Amino acid sequence: MTASNPNTAAPARAEVGVPRDELVRWLNEYLDTDAFSDVSLNGLQIEGKDRVTRIAASVDSSLRSIQAAADAGADLLLVHHGLFWGKPLAVTGPHGRRVKAALDAGLSLYASHLPLDYHREVGNNAMIARALGLEDLEDFGEYGGRRYGLAGTLPRELDLQDFADRIQKLTGEICLVHSGSHPFVHRIGINSGEGAGLIPEAARMGLDTLLTGEPEHKYFHDAFEYGLNAVFAGHYETEVFGVRALAAKIEEEFGLPWQFIHQPTGL
């Protein structure tokens, strides 16, 4: 039997996961976060554990989403709608409980709002356009000097009801459809979340259909008076695509497993 040498150091244990700051730097560069003027505080909003071994993704940073991410063993939660928006907030009440839940769990919170709407690889609009097989893509949906949405052409013309059914299968929710003068869908403008006010721009571009998230009363008559179809697929449901695609990209780059926290709002 060979005696062990007490002066010989034990083999170093390989560190698990990725340094949080390295992952945050990669996210900021990949999403070009600093290039966007946004009411959302994009980037790392809450600093948790030093290393990230598992990712969770969610549209919203509700208390339920934060708790579910912590329960799943995530070290970082990716969200589209973060906790900090344009002005200081007292860390009290529901807001305080959300922050406390993340801190208690050592859970980092990373938010990407407009950068994730815009991103042409993993963004909400890009992922919807890809799922629909749109061709001849061009920028659409002007807001603050930048077009965040995408317009394109379906491979073949669809009946409006068939198109709405296809969107329902894609999102899992029933769509609200305002039928303009076009019984068919061929040229589409996509703007996830809020985009009801984009019907005039869609008309100028010669599109026949707007696909967006939630309707707004002040724009109710636009679809009928401009003669365009408007398909409202839900703010939440049109914004699940980006965080899921971004989490999958992180897995591809860093080998980190991820889980989507599904907390639908019905809106």
Side-chain angles (χ1 to χ4, degrees):
M1 180 176 180
T2 304
S4 61
N5 184 347
N7 296 319
T8 301
R13 295 178 62 185
E15 289 192 281
V16 177
V18 178
R20 178 201 61 237
D21 294 344
E22 177 185 335
L23 178 57
V24 169
R25 281 194 298 272
W26 180 87
L27 282 165
N28 288 341
E29 291 175 6
Y30 179 66
L31 297 169
D32 200 15
T33 298
D34 292 339
F36 292 83
S37 177
D38 196 350
V39 292
S40 168
L41 176 62
N42 294 311
L44 187 66
Q45 294 192 345
I46 294 178
E47 185 177 275
K49 296 171 186 173
D50 290 340
R51 298 189 72 83
V52 178
T53 61
R54 187 176 188 85
I55 297 286
S58 179
V59 175
D60 302 313
S61 49
S62 66
L63 181 59
R64 285 200 305 157
S65 294
I66 291 169
Q67 290 174 332
D71 291 344
D75 304 306
L76 184 142
L77 174 62
L78 293 172
V79 297
H80 186 50
H81 302 136
L83 290 177
F84 298 95
W85 295 85
K87 62 180 180 180
L89 290 175
V91 186
T92 59
H95 180 68
R97 288 190 285 275
R98 294 167 186 162
V99 173
K100 185 177 186 300
L103 291 174
D104 287 349
L107 179 69
S108 294
L109 180 71
Y110 188 97
S112 186
H113 184 234
L114 290 182
L116 194 55
D117 284 324
Y118 176 80
H119 202 276
R120 292 321 190 214
E121 183 178 1
V122 299
N124 290 311
N125 299 303
M127 295 303 296
I128 295 171
R130 194 170 302 142
L132 294 174
L134 292 193
E135 302 168 347
D136 304 321
L137 293 177
E138 57 184 309
D139 292 342
F140 167 74
E142 194 277 331
Y143 173 76
R146 189 192 290 258
R147 285 189 166 93
Y148 288 87
L150 286 169
T153 305
L154 286 172
R156 62 183 181 86
E157 194 174 72
L158 290 177
D159 176 88
L160 178 57
Q161 185 58 58
D162 290 340
F163 177 74
D165 290 343
R166 185 172 177 186
I167 298 301
Q168 181 179 338
K169 289 178 182 177
L170 180 63
T171 64
E173 294 288 338
I174 296 174
C175 301
L176 172 65
V177 178
H178 290 175
S179 176
S181 61
H182 292 274
F184 297 100
V185 177
H186 195 211
R187 288 278 296 155
I188 304 167
I190 302 171
N191 196 89
S192 66
E194 295 182 18
L198 295 174
I199 289 174
E201 181 180 341
R204 289 194 298 271
M205 292 179 64
L207 308 181
D208 53 67
T209 302
L210 170 68
L211 172 61
T212 188
E214 63 182 88
E216 291 186 65
H217 184 268
K218 63 183 176 181
Y219 300 121
F220 174 83
H221 299 283
D222 282 4
F224 309 108
E225 295 182 3
Y226 279 90
L228 265 79
N229 304 314
V231 178
F232 301 99
H235 193 132
Y236 175 90
E237 295 296 345
T238 57
E239 295 192 330
V240 302
F241 299 94
V243 289
R244 293 193 309 211
L246 181 58
K249 182 69 176 180
I250 291 172
E251 182 178 35
E252 178 185 317
E253 292 290 322
F254 296 97
L256 296 176
W258 64 279
Q259 177 177 336
F260 180 61
I261 308 297
H262 187 41
Q263 303 283 357
T265 64
L267 301 175

